Amino acid sequence: MSLVVDLLRSIDDALVTEDGRGIKNVIAGMSRDQGRKVWVETPLGHRYYVVVTQDLEAAFDLRYDALSLMSPSDRLEVLAEASDTIDDYKDVIAKIISAETGKRLPDAREEVEASQSFISQAQELLSSRGTTTTGRPHFDLSGEWTSAQVIVREGVGLVLPPFTSPFFGSIAGASTLLANGMPAVVKPPWQASASVAAALSALRETDLGDFLSMINTSSYGTLPAEEVASVVLFGREFTYRSLRRSFSNVIANCSGRAALLLCAEPKDVEGLAKKVVESAVSNAGQACGSVRWVLALRGLGEDLVDSMQDYISQLSVGDPLEGKDVGPLRTRGLVDRAAKLVSDATSRGARALGEARAEGNYMSPVVLSEVPRGAEILWGDVEAPIISVSLYDDCSEVVQTVSMLNSATSVIVYGGLSTAYSVAKSRTGAVVWGRDDSFELLKAMCHVVGDPARYFSEGPELPASRRALLLF
């Protein structure tokens, strides 16, 4: 029996196949094992099979009209029960997440806690069916008008959690839909079905279980777009654009890797170096919010590089369930690509501090110093435990380069507020002024449903099948 499946059985044996080697689907809260068996191997080498359902129609045949009869307060109370169930099994859930994704156990526990925190704040997910504001429309009519946005929720929502946070993505996405009266179908990321099943287990034992399905399927193209009223996505920008061609209401959090701009001396260089390294190697550099690029004034950057190398030299690489600091990458292809990026950077003049060793799905963490603008590593997303450091003689050069760094979805700025403002004007995404808790804020942006920039400025995005504007 696979370790992953064995752990899931200890939470909910109904989700495990009779032979103890596979994971079932969930259709309207009930486990089903009808379908094709497809074997999966996690980055740590754990093997199990998933049952790929052939009956997508049944999975999406969830009674949204019946769910709407349950009051919002009752739905919130039921979600709180799910949080209690998560608390009962949080250590086992963390082991499942670690075994599937390669995260360190402390990071996996943090994901479980973030899920519970999300449910505890579920009141923020609710809104009335319309919001009302009073004012003049932008045309020449006398008198005051009232406008109301009428939001109608009909149909079923689809949740697409990320491989790097499969449990949180499932809980957050499904809870958002359910709290707002929309049933949820969750499609697990490949290699993380057990983490998603653990999330569904906590929810399906409640009175909301009948309004939940989990389907193992290999592509979005097989999903019935006409049945999907809203999509909750945690993923890349190009996935978001692709989904919008098929689905009308896509609520997406496309947060990815981050950059650090250093134009002013931090209060504690060694403390900052430790935070950068911890962020950069989180889930072997695959985690949302992981710092990948440092762009700094020369003297400041050189001091930071020295301190980062001290911390990196102390890290161990291997199985996180055995207490190692840096686990595997999701695929061998990611390892090969990372090795090529390191080779390209060094061929263009960058210095590799330490050896970038690759074996199987594992890659040792490495700092690349003095990375030039021509290096490929600056201009594409990198899922690996690599820190790319570029040094400049003037802060205006740093800001200019950061403005072109489209691969970073967020930037931490150590400098004056005027520098942070200049960066914010030159790019999209989040710009965080450098403080002691800036790295925690990077994580927080990964733990919201929808665009973080909109969430922190306007409030959460909400699922809707139709919107109308009423003027009266």
Side-chain angles (χ1 to χ4, degrees):
M1 182 183 293
S2 164
L3 170 65
V4 172
V5 177
D6 194 26
L7 290 168
L8 179 61
R9 185 192 287 278
S10 69
I11 297 175
D12 191 343
D13 61 358
L15 296 180
V16 175
T17 57
E18 288 188 11
D19 61 10
R21 297 190 295 170
I23 298 173
K24 299 179 183 179
N25 292 293
V26 175
I27 308 295
M30 303 298 293
S31 61
R32 301 280 182 86
D33 60 2
Q34 292 83 18
R36 182 166 51 93
K37 298 178 181 179
V38 177
W39 283 91
V40 174
E41 183 171 342
T42 75
L44 287 172
H46 301 297
R47 297 186 78 245
Y48 59 85
Y49 66 81
V50 295
V51 178
V52 177
T53 182
Q54 306 297 312
D55 191 3
L56 289 175
E57 184 177 343
F60 282 86
D61 187 20
L62 303 174
R63 295 289 304 280
Y64 64 84
D65 53 342
L67 180 58
S68 66
L69 297 177
M70 184 184 294
S71 70
S73 60
D74 286 345
R75 295 197 294 263
L76 289 175
E77 187 174 334
V78 171
L79 286 173
E81 295 174 13
S83 182
D84 292 339
T85 301
I86 293 171
D87 198 58
D88 292 339
Y89 293 102
K90 59 185 178 183
D91 290 336
V92 180
I93 295 170
K95 288 180 181 178
I96 292 174
I97 296 170
S98 184
E100 285 199 307
T101 67
K103 280 186 177 181
R104 295 185 316 129
L105 273 173
D107 294 334
R109 292 190 188 101
E110 188 176 271
E111 180 179 340
V112 177
E113 291 166 1
S115 304
Q116 291 180 282
S117 177
F118 190 94
I119 293 175
S120 70
Q121 299 169 15
Q123 185 66 48
E124 297 179 12
L125 306 176
L126 289 176
S127 75
S128 63
R129 287 191 173 269
T131 56
T132 302
T133 57
T134 301
R136 287 179 186 267
H138 296 291
F139 49 85
D140 189 15
L141 281 179
S142 60
E144 295 292 323
W145 285 78
T146 298
S147 64
Q149 181 183 206
V150 180
I151 300 175
V152 180
R153 299 183 182 93
E154 296 177 344
V156 176
L158 173 65
V159 181
L160 302 173
F163 170 76
T164 51
S165 295
F167 185 83
F168 172 82
S170 301
I171 290 292
S175 296
T176 296
L177 295 171
L178 293 169
N180 283 281
M182 187 175 283
V185 176
V186 185
K187 177 191 176 302
W190 211 243
Q191 301 171 299
S193 290
S195 298
V196 174
L200 267 288
S201 175
L203 293 168
R204 82 184 192 96
E205 295 299 324
T206 70
D207 290 341
L208 293 172
D210 292 346
F211 307 103
L212 282 166
S213 293
M214 181 187 82
I215 53 170
N216 291 297
T217 182
S218 58
S219 69
Y220 306 121
T222 60
L223 301 177
E226 68 278 2
E227 301 290 339
V228 178
S230 201
V231 178
V232 177
L233 167 71
F234 295 86
R236 298 172 182 270
E237 182 70 28
F238 75 81
T239 305
Y240 169 60
R241 292 195 296 268
S242 175
L243 287 169
R244 288 193 65 184
R245 290 195 287 269
S246 300
F247 303 102
S248 57
N249 180 224
V250 182
I251 301 171
N253 186 337
C254 297
S255 299
R257 262 51 64 189
L260 184 141
L261 181 153
L262 190 58
C263 280
E265 186 172 358
K267 294 179 182 178
D268 180 4
V269 173
E270 290 191 2
L272 177 60
K274 183 178 181 181
K275 288 180 178 179
V276 172
V277 169
E278 289 175 345
S279 173
V281 303
S282 178
N283 200 8
Q286 301 165 108
C288 173
S290 176
V291 172
R292 186 64 59 249
W293 305 273
V294 175
L295 302 100
L297 289 177
R298 189 167 301 279
L300 300 176
E302 289 170 344
D303 291 343
L304 185 67
V305 164
D306 290 341
S307 295
M308 288 194 299
Q309 184 56 28
D310 289 341
Y311 285 110
I312 278 187
S313 64
Q314 301 172 35
L315 299 176
S316 57
V317 179
D319 190 335
L321 291 174
E322 297 176 357
K324 302 299 184 182
D325 300 307
V326 184
L329 296 180
R330 186 178 187 182
T331 67
R332 176 69 199 194
L334 289 175
V335 177
D336 293 341
R337 180 172 182 270
K340 289 178 181 177
L341 290 173
V342 171
S343 178
D344 172 75
T346 54
S347 71
R348 296 174 186 271
R351 293 189 302 116
L353 306 182
E355 183 182 355
R357 297 183 303 276
E359 182 177 347
N361 280 24
Y362 293 93
M363 183 173 188
S364 59
V366 63
V367 176
L368 292 174
S369 183
E370 300 184 55
V371 175
R373 275 194 181 184
E376 187 180 348
I377 196 170
L378 276 176
W379 310 115
D381 190 20
V382 185
E383 295 181 76
I386 302 171
I387 306 174
S388 168
V389 182
S390 298
L391 305 176
Y392 302 88
D393 296 318
D394 187 272
C395 187
S396 62
E397 293 181 84
V398 182
V399 173
Q400 183 185 50
T401 305
V402 167
S403 69
M404 298 185 292
L405 202 65
N406 295 328
S407 42
T409 60
S410 54
V411 180
I412 298 179
V413 176
Y414 280 83
L417 274 176
S418 60
T419 302
Y421 186 66
S422 295
V423 173
K425 288 196 300 181
S426 68
R427 56 177 291 119
T428 58
V431 178
V432 181
W433 196 34
R435 306 190 328 186
D436 290 342
D437 55 354
S438 296
F439 289 82
E440 293 304 314
L441 184 54
L442 283 184
K443 293 180 182 179
M445 287 189 287
C446 299
H447 289 154
V448 301
V449 170
D451 179 13
R454 183 177 298 181
Y455 178 90
F456 286 109
S457 60
E458 302 173 15
E461 295 180 72
L462 299 169
S465 50
R466 299 197 312 274
R467 297 176 189 267
L469 179 64
L470 173 64
L471 296 171
F472 56 95

